[in-house]
Structure formats: structure tokens, C-alpha cells
Amino acid sequence: AQKITQTQPGMFVQEKEAVTLDCTYDTSDQSYGLFWYKQPSSGEMIFLIYQGSYDEQNATEGRYSLNFQKARKSANLVISASQLGDSAMYFCAMRERTQGGSEKLVFGKGTKLTVNP
Amino acid sequence: EPEVTQTPSHQVTQMGQEVILRCVPISNHLYFYWYRQILGQKVEFLVSFYNNEISEKSEIFDDQFSVERPDGSNFTLKIRSTKLEDSAMYFCATSERGHEQYFGPGTRLTVT
């Protein structure tokens, strides 16, 4: 079973508008973390935003905010005032504790965002 | 701002050859990871490394893979005998406390 589900393979948004990228997760852990990364066509993975499971407030970083709904197990990324440079793949990931006691990231399949002028 | 660096950016090798991918972590980070992304697919965890030993490895990380920190700064991933299906982008990630992970720019490995 998938632990991170991103149901939108592709999204389009007009420049300057806001867009929401969906992410749902599955875990039985009480303590976990949720991340969003941006991957432009050049291939690097750029950390955008982090939400801890015990954080009461939604995380925000500039134009990025994370709409965290714990009961629904969703962690949607909201990008406000989209820019052409926001066109990229966006991956949602969950920090998962391993059997060995360390932690790893489990990624979703990604959403390709295209910002139109 | 400190960042994770990886070399080479692109490696082309023949099937059966050994490759070593290198990563320089952010200086105060203690947790190191390798991930792999086959073209067009999601990022997959390979291995985590802390205190000079492997903390966890995935089923992908079989006997042909190894990691080490040879000189206290570089963190390397060795693939002993490459296969065509090893062609992928390999990302190193590092973390100060094991929570937020910062990724390097990746090494694109092409096995021919």
C-alpha cells in the first residue's frame, strides 16, 4: 500500500494565481514529519517546507504553506502568487522511522506543475 | 548558505564496471542518506548512515552496493558491478538531527 499518495499527476495554473497540490499519507506512528520538495527540470531536489505531526500551526515559508489536516491525513501544499519559475515536479514525502531506529523519507510519485503566463 | 555537493554530476559507465559516487555533506550534519530516482519515477530510499555505520538499508541496497565515509568528510556510494537497471539519478541527503534532510544536486548515472 502506498504511504504517500499524490493524486494529481499534472496541474496547470495561471501566473499570479494560487494552486494547491494534494498529498495524503498513511502511517500508524504518532510522531512523523511531512515534507515538500521541488524538482525543476535540472533535476535537483529543493527542500520547500516541513510540517511536524505535533506542530499545531500550519507551516509557512514565503509563498509556500502547508495545509495540514491531521485527522484526514492530508498535507497539501499551497503556492500563492504562482511564478513561471514554479514550473517543476513537486514531491510530497513523509519521514518514517525505520526498524533500525533511524529515519528515512518515503516519497510520493509527484505532481508536475506548469505555470502558464 | 551551506549546501550538499555531489560529484560527478553525470557518470557514464559500461555494464559490469565499478562506480563511486561522492557526496560532501553540510559540515555539522551527522546523518547521511542515499536515494535513487529512476527516470520518471519517484525517489526511493537506499541507505542511511550514522556514526560510521549503516543504520538502515532498503531491499534495493544489495551486496553490490556499499557506503563509507573514507576521510571524515566525503560520503561515498560504491556500486561494484553496474547493471543497466542501475541507471538513475542518485541523491545524497544529509541531516543535522535526523529530521529535515537536505539533498545534493544528484549524480546522473548512465549504464550502457
Side-chain angles (χ1 to χ4, degrees):
Chain A
Q2 287 195 55
K3 296 194 174 183
I4 295 287
T5 302
Q6 294 180 254
T7 57
Q8 306 152 318
M11 287 284 285
F12 294 87
V13 65
Q14 285 298 121
E15 196 177 6
K16 299 181 186 175
E17 292 185 351
V19 63
T20 298
L21 306 184
D22 295 341
C23 173
T24 58
Y25 59 92
D26 181 26
T27 183
S28 56
D29 291 346
Q30 296 300 309
S31 176
Y32 52 89
L34 297 155
F35 300 77
W36 279 91
Y37 287 86
K38 173 184 178 182
Q39 186 177 44
S41 57
S42 51
E44 70 267 33
M45 294 287 284
I46 302 168
F47 167 72
L48 294 179
I49 197 167
Y50 167 77
Q51 178 88 40
S53 58
Y54 291 119
D55 295 340
E56 294 187 353
Q57 294 201 334
N58 287 342
T60 60
E61 289 285 346
R63 293 186 299 112
Y64 304 108
S65 61
L66 201 152
N67 184 1
F68 182 46
Q69 298 189 38
K70 197 169 181 177
R72 294 186 175 185
K73 293 188 174 178
S74 75
N76 298 339
L77 177 71
V78 181
I79 305 174
S80 62
S82 298
Q83 301 171 357
L84 295 177
D86 293 336
S87 294
M89 282 291 287
Y90 287 81
F91 290 96
C92 179
M94 179 173 65
R95 188 186 70 232
E96 181 178 78
R97 185 162 290 276
T98 67
Q99 289 185 346
S102 69
E103 296 178 334
K104 66 180 183 183
L105 294 182
V106 177
F107 285 81
K109 292 185 176 180
T111 295
K112 183 172 182 179
L113 177 66
T114 302
V115 181
N116 293 318
Chain B
E1 186 175 321
E3 57 184 21
V4 179
T5 59
Q6 289 185 243
T7 55
S9 56
H10 189 189
Q11 174 93 44
V12 182
T13 189
Q14 288 191 325
M15 199 166 54
Q17 296 295 304
E18 175 183 284
V19 294
I20 298 177
L21 311 182
R22 291 182 170 80
C23 169
V24 179
I26 295 173
S27 63
N28 61 335
H29 285 195
L30 303 176
Y31 298 82
F32 312 120
Y33 311 82
W34 283 102
Y35 292 84
R36 179 180 83 176
Q37 184 184 32
I38 294 171
L39 186 63
Q41 299 187 21
K42 64 181 178 180
V43 179
E44 301 172 291
F45 169 78
L46 289 178
V47 66
S48 60
F49 190 86
Y50 171 70
N51 203 23
N52 288 323
E53 60 183 26
I54 290 175
S55 309
E56 188 74 26
K57 57 184 181 180
S58 72
E59 61 274 8
I60 302 169
F61 194 88
D62 61 23
D63 291 344
Q64 68 162 345
F65 290 93
S66 63
V67 290
E68 63 176 1
R69 203 165 179 222
D71 55 12
S73 59
N74 289 294
F75 177 51
T76 63
L77 173 70
K78 182 191 291 185
I79 310 176
R80 267 181 267 283
S81 178
T82 50
K83 302 190 281 265
L84 293 176
E85 54 265 36
D86 293 329
S87 294
M89 184 78 103
Y90 288 81
F91 291 104
C92 171
T94 76
S95 173
E96 183 179 7
R97 297 170 296 136
H99 296 319
E100 296 163 21
Q101 295 183 20
Y102 292 87
F103 281 67
T107 293
R108 185 172 298 281
L109 176 66
T110 303
V111 183
T112 62

